[in-house]
Amino acid sequence: VQVEGPMKKKGSSFNVAARIGWIEALLRPAINLYTLDDSYYVNDYTRDGNYAFGDFNGKFTWHPTASDKVSASFYVGHDMLILKEVRPDKKSSNWGNVLASAAWTHSPSDESGFELVTYVSDGYCVLSDTETYVSPKSSYVRTETNRSNLTNVGARMDAFRKYGWNNLGFGGSFHSLISRPYSIVKTKKKPAGGKAEVTATYHDDNRFSLSADVYCEDEMKP
């Protein structure tokens, strides 16, 4: 589904779109039919599951003057994969990306101009494993979740200036990268809605890096 058009403020417009995948309509029945001999996985083979994805993105643009344009963009994407086994156990994976950016373009004439862009993005992946254990003496549900993130924040500028048969371009960029390789949380609780007990939590140290660059070029057409 996509909707676009002008807004009330003069010189502004919007464009938004949303999608969902249809592949689960074929994949889910296929997973349900896929079974292996019991001896392969000791009765832990896949019996039910689902894969689905969707995303949403949009852009807003505004022209405050004849030589200026301001825009904002965003995007959200999400995928999930769930596999259930013969026992009341479940494995799930969720991953996706979130992105937002803003840009300002200034072109007073065909001879000069610049563009400034700032952005932030976050990619994530969550793996979860849930196991249910029932016996006459003890019953519990154990869940282990592993989450990882990769976040990027930055800005860049590109400018040009024409004079004679020279077209001078220059600019630069700066960004920081934050990485969390993994964060594991283990919980254990009774199936009948008992209070969850966090048995172990592991947080790996974040990795942080900075990067910057500048450039200058001249295109000549005698």
Side-chain angles (χ1 to χ4, degrees), residues 63-168:
H63 294 267
T65 67
S67 58
D68 292 283
K69 182 178 73 171
V70 179
S71 63
S73 305
F74 55 89
Y75 169 85
V76 178
H78 183 74
D79 291 60
M80 74 166 188
L81 175 64
I82 298 176
L83 295 177
K84 296 179 181 179
E85 299 175 346
V86 171
R87 297 180 303 172
D89 299 341
K90 182 175 71 172
K91 293 180 174 63
S92 65
S93 305
N94 297 273
W95 65 94
N97 190 70
V98 179
L99 168 67
S101 67
W104 173 31
T105 302
H106 178 68
S107 300
S109 68
D110 293 336
E111 304 298 320
S112 64
F114 70 84
E115 181 183 46
L116 176 64
V117 179
T118 60
Y119 61 89
V120 57
S121 69
D122 180 65
Y124 62 90
C125 180
V126 182
L127 308 177
S128 180
D129 188 358
T130 302
E131 179 185 21
T132 302
Y133 177 78
V134 179
S135 71
K137 295 184 179 181
S138 175
S139 300
Y140 64 85
V141 177
R142 181 192 63 81
T143 302
E144 180 174 326
T145 303
N146 184 343
R147 182 182 180 94
S148 60
N149 285 80
L150 187 64
T151 305
N152 193 354
V153 181
R156 67 174 177 84
M157 187 193 75
D158 300 288
F160 72 93
R161 173 69 178 174
K162 296 180 180 179
Y163 55 96
W165 42 271
N166 293 271
N167 185 4
L168 181 66

